[in-house]
Amino acid sequence: MTAAGEHAGVRFLEFFAATIRNPHTRRAYGRAVGEFLAWCESMGVASIVGVQPLHVASWIELQGREVSAPCVKQQLAAIRHLFDWLVTGQVVPLNPAASVRGPRHVVRVGKTSVLEPAEARALLDSIDATTPAGLRDRALIALMVYSFARIGAALGMKVQDVFTQNRRLWVRLHEKGGKDHAMPCHHNLEQTLAAYVDGAGLAADPKGPLFRTIGRGTGQLTRTALPQANAHAMICRRAEAAGIKTRIGNHSFRATGITAYLKNGGTLEKAAAMANHASTRTTQLYDRRRDEMSLDEVERIVI
């Protein structure tokens, strides 16, 4: 990048600082662009100005042999957006990634692991709620199950985002794209959140993070927000302790809640509104009722 001049370097940094607000997207794009430029340098491309469509296509072809199609498409999007930004900044005349096609990828059913309602209930009941960590973990899992919350939105909540309205507890989720999404709590979630806020003494700190780390050696909550990686490790640890064999992650509870809602007579349109999906097509990826139908049909094979 330095070979292209100071203006190109500044424009490059501006792309990540000014155009990408989501930290996860910034991190993913930064990794993709860094790997691509390192590969270009190994191929003898002296400057970013010298990148051609053939370089982009060759790299995408190589990546397709190592990572999944969605990852390749994300990497191509990162390169494409970067060069769009460099074109408007008059660093390069044309976008070398504009004409490069990514791999075909069609998704009709999501791959996120889903728990049976009984498994989700067993997981929640297995957590010792007599400690701050137990109260926190149970509340976080219940929030994702009963409100269909994304892990990022859940961990971004402040204490004041749990509030009373019309004599019912509500939660306010700060979703992707700066959208706020408020919804009333299921009675089980209401009890779990109230127990956590009261038991951990969080009501006195309304602007502090709702879900916090545990102080090393103290067993008490700190004022530091719980990182997403820590939440994933906690979920895996809790699932193993509860004897759950299904390999689950942060997103599993969102899919579990949506599937349970639809199985009990909920509509796809209302599920999309509750999950804050722009389209019901996205919600359908979380609907895993077909898995049970497929299992029933498989059992018809009697030999």
Side-chain angles (χ1 to χ4, degrees):
M1 181 58 67
T2 55
E6 182 179 352
H7 173 61
V10 172
R11 190 70 178 173
F12 179 84
L13 294 176
E14 285 177 345
F15 170 71
F16 294 99
T19 67
I20 305 174
R21 302 311 314 153
N22 188 295
H24 303 296
T25 303
R26 184 184 294 123
R27 183 167 56 249
Y29 275 27
R31 182 170 56 250
V33 169
E35 291 176 356
F36 171 66
L37 294 181
W39 178 84
C40 286
E41 185 177 5
S42 70
M43 291 294 104
V45 181
S47 168
I48 197 169
V49 179
V51 176
Q52 300 297 318
L54 182 60
H55 296 127
V56 180
S58 299
W59 188 72
I60 290 299
E61 183 71 22
L62 290 173
Q63 291 299 102
R65 301 172 186 173
E66 299 179 2
V67 298
S68 64
C71 290
V72 176
K73 291 173 75 71
Q74 183 189 60
Q75 292 168 342
L76 180 57
I79 299 170
R80 205 172 266 159
H81 290 157
L82 169 64
F83 277 98
D84 276 342
W85 181 254
L86 296 179
V87 168
T88 58
Q90 300 181 343
V91 175
V92 295
L94 297 171
N95 186 341
S99 58
V100 178
R101 295 185 62 181
R104 181 175 174 81
H105 180 63
V106 179
V107 179
R108 291 186 176 90
V109 180
K111 295 183 179 180
T112 304
S113 300
V114 176
L115 295 177
E116 284 289 324
E119 287 182 302
R121 185 71 261 167
L123 174 58
L124 289 169
D125 290 343
S126 70
I127 298 175
D128 179 11
T130 61
T131 65
L135 288 168
R136 179 202 66 185
D137 296 351
R138 188 181 64 168
L140 176 57
I141 293 173
L143 175 67
M144 291 188 288
V145 170
Y146 289 111
S147 72
F148 311 162
R150 294 180 179 90
I151 183 63
L155 297 181
M157 291 178 67
K158 306 293 185 184
V159 176
Q160 63 189 8
D161 290 324
V162 179
F163 60 97
T164 301
Q165 180 174 281
N166 296 331
R167 294 183 294 180
R168 191 68 180 266
L169 206 65
W170 285 57
V171 291
R172 183 185 299 107
L173 302 168
H174 306 287
E175 297 282 2
K176 294 188 295 185
K179 300 176 183 177
D180 282 352
H181 174 57
M183 63 180 295
C185 293
H186 185 281
H187 68 275
N188 287 338
L189 176 58
E190 185 172 30
Q191 295 171 5
T192 303
L193 280 176
Y196 170 52
V197 172
D198 294 341
L202 298 178
D205 186 18
K207 295 189 180 297
L210 178 61
F211 297 105
R212 312 175 178 205
T213 58
I214 300 295
R216 184 169 298 180
T218 67
Q220 301 299 313
L221 296 174
T222 69
R223 207 174 183 275
T224 302
L226 183 68
Q228 191 164 320
N230 292 38
H232 180 266
M234 176 275 291
I235 286 168
C236 294
R237 186 174 64 253
R238 294 291 188 184
E240 182 179 3
I244 294 175
K245 303 300 182 182
T246 304
R247 186 176 180 180
I248 61 175
N250 293 332
H251 229 46
S252 296
F253 301 106
R254 181 172 170 86
T256 297
I258 291 174
T259 299
Y261 169 77
L262 293 172
K263 284 172 64 176
N264 284 285
T267 65
L268 194 62
E269 291 74 17
K270 290 183 178 179
M274 293 166 66
N276 201 30
H277 285 151
S279 169
T280 55
R281 291 183 179 180
T282 304
T283 312
Q284 285 177 318
L285 299 178
Y286 294 87
D287 181 6
R288 308 304 290 275
R289 290 175 293 176
R290 295 177 184 176
D291 292 354
E292 294 184 5
M293 295 170 57
S294 299
L295 180 59
D296 290 340
E297 293 306 311
V298 167
E299 291 300 325
R300 292 178 183 273
I301 305 173
V302 180
I303 298 177

